Amino acid sequence: MLGESEAENGVLDAVKAVRRAIRALGYDYVELPLNLPIESVYETLSKLRVNIVFNLFEGFAGMPATEAVIAGFVEKLGLPFTGSSSQTLTLALDKAAANQRLRSNGVRTANQQLLTARDLDRFHLGFPCIVKPRADDASHSLSEKSVVFDMDALSREVDAMVNRYDGTAALVEEFLEGREFNATVWGVDSPVVLPLSEIIYTLPEGLPKILTFAAKWEPKSMYFAHTAVQCPANVTPDLRAAIQSTALMAFKAIGCQGYGRVDMRLNKDGHPVVMEVNANPDIAPGTGVARQVKAARLSYKAMVSKIIDFGLVK
């Protein structure tokens, strides 16, 4: 798939940067690549004799649920590790379940429903909508066609999404056209929000303003060329406070630990609406978390040191 190698290289970029930071911090370390079959991973991990595992695993290719499985192995072995628990990673990956958890904790979210081609008669949202995979990451399967404006387009996209994910119902969500922000939250007992980022779209008229797979991973694409990030975001004090409050509520509701990223859009009334909570976000240089850390006047080495400290005390 076009862009897939770039997505995988993003993880390797994080590995290289974290390795440099750990060396600069003066720690001894063992670097442990993981390979299938998944049953062999537990045996590999069981041989570790370390104070903490710095978890950069985002799942085997095409198997996003394995992200939580491996964290579960580390938990079973009783090893401290950075980032969120396997339970939280499982919840955050399942966008429908995460939406329900957020709503039950008073966090504003977009209206959504799970649909297949066989039950489109249950559709009760208004147009436009966006059709997403229920449980995938890195903007996989998102393109300009994902935003639909009528039943014919909805039917096509739902059917394609269900087929792509082996019969799993597609997540259909109201599409909010307001400004888009993301916020890194980090800490354990008293988490804080780092400087906000806004996604700035300068796309030609007619293309929906969404962070597609191409926008992230295909440098020669129209979406990549016309999608930028402004950090710190240019917001009023009141809007900044509203976004920060929403991000903290979402982080806690999902059960994130150490660090995470909350993606939001503004609704027609200007209120932040949570679109997704990423409990294991990319921390490679130049990505959202690292960018916001830099805006907070912290070095990459300091970021890695803090993430390790959070992992030791959670």
Side-chain angles (χ1 to χ4, degrees):
M1 179 179 176
L2 188 63
E4 197 63 49
S5 60
E6 284 78 6
E8 293 171 359
N9 287 339
V11 178
L12 297 179
D13 289 342
V15 171
K16 293 174 185 176
V18 170
R19 180 197 301 138
R20 287 194 298 268
I22 287 175
R23 285 176 176 170
L25 290 165
Y27 295 131
D28 294 327
Y29 69 94
V30 176
E31 195 168 312
L32 191 66
L34 301 180
N35 299 293
L36 293 169
I38 198 167
E39 294 79 13
S40 70
V41 176
Y42 184 84
E43 181 180 355
T44 301
L45 291 170
S46 69
K47 297 175 183 177
L48 287 177
R49 299 294 181 267
V50 296
N51 299 109
I52 188 168
V53 174
F54 200 110
N55 183 21
L56 290 171
F57 184 69
E58 295 186 16
F60 291 113
M63 305 167 66
T66 56
E67 174 184 60
V69 173
I70 301 307
F73 287 169
V74 180
E75 289 168 342
K76 187 175 181 180
L77 291 165
L79 296 170
F81 64 99
T82 60
S84 292
S85 69
S86 61
Q87 183 177 14
T88 294
L89 294 174
T90 298
L91 174 62
L93 181 64
D94 186 335
K95 296 177 178 64
N99 184 287
Q100 292 178 4
R101 174 69 67 83
L102 291 166
R103 287 197 164 202
S104 68
N105 281 271
V107 179
R108 188 180 283 108
T109 65
N111 294 321
Q112 60 178 218
Q113 61 183 131
L114 294 169
L115 291 173
T116 67
R118 296 189 305 275
D119 55 12
L120 284 175
D121 58 321
R122 294 194 302 106
F123 175 70
H124 57 73
L125 304 175
F127 289 110
C129 291
I130 183 168
V131 181
K132 303 177 178 180
R134 176 174 182 167
D136 208 345
D137 55 13
S139 290
H140 279 102
S141 301
L142 290 186
S143 73
E144 66 273 17
K145 295 180 181 179
S146 299
V147 178
V148 297
F149 296 86
D150 55 49
M151 287 301 298
D152 286 343
L154 175 66
S155 178
R156 285 194 301 271
E157 287 304 302
V158 166
D159 191 47
M161 194 68 70
V162 170
N163 289 333
R164 193 173 298 133
Y165 288 90
D166 300 323
T168 300
L171 185 69
V172 181
E173 186 174 85
E174 64 176 333
F175 178 59
L176 302 179
E177 301 184 66
R179 296 168 68 184
E180 181 173 350
F181 299 93
N182 62 67
T184 296
V185 183
W186 71 357
V188 181
D189 294 327
S190 301
V192 298
V193 182
L194 296 179
L196 310 177
S197 291
E198 181 175 5
I199 311 299
I200 306 295
Y201 298 101
T202 56
L203 292 159
E205 189 173 351
L207 287 178
K209 296 178 179 180
I210 60 171
L211 201 56
T212 63
F213 185 83
K216 288 185 176 181
W217 309 114
E218 297 177 13
K220 295 182 180 180
S221 70
M222 176 74 73
Y223 265 90
F224 193 97
H226 291 275
T227 303
V229 180
Q230 182 175 343
C231 181
N234 183 17
V235 292
T236 65
D238 286 348
L239 180 55
R240 179 182 298 108
I243 293 171
Q244 290 173 333
S245 175
T246 300
L248 280 170
M249 289 176 64
F251 182 87
K252 294 175 182 177
I254 297 299
C256 296
Q257 295 173 299
Y259 65 103
R261 192 191 73 235
V262 182
D263 301 337
M264 291 160 278
R265 278 189 180 250
L266 302 187
N267 65 13
K268 61 182 180 180
D269 298 317
H271 298 303
V273 175
V274 173
M275 313 307 295
E276 183 175 352
V277 178
N278 190 332
N280 186 26
D282 188 358
I283 62 169
T287 61
V289 174
R291 183 183 295 112
Q292 292 170 21
V293 165
K294 185 176 181 180
R297 300 180 183 276
L298 292 171
S299 67
Y300 196 90
K301 183 175 78 170
M303 177 192 79
V304 170
S305 180
K306 280 185 172 291
I307 289 174
I308 292 171
D309 289 343
F310 296 150
L312 288 169
V313 301
K314 69 178 183 181

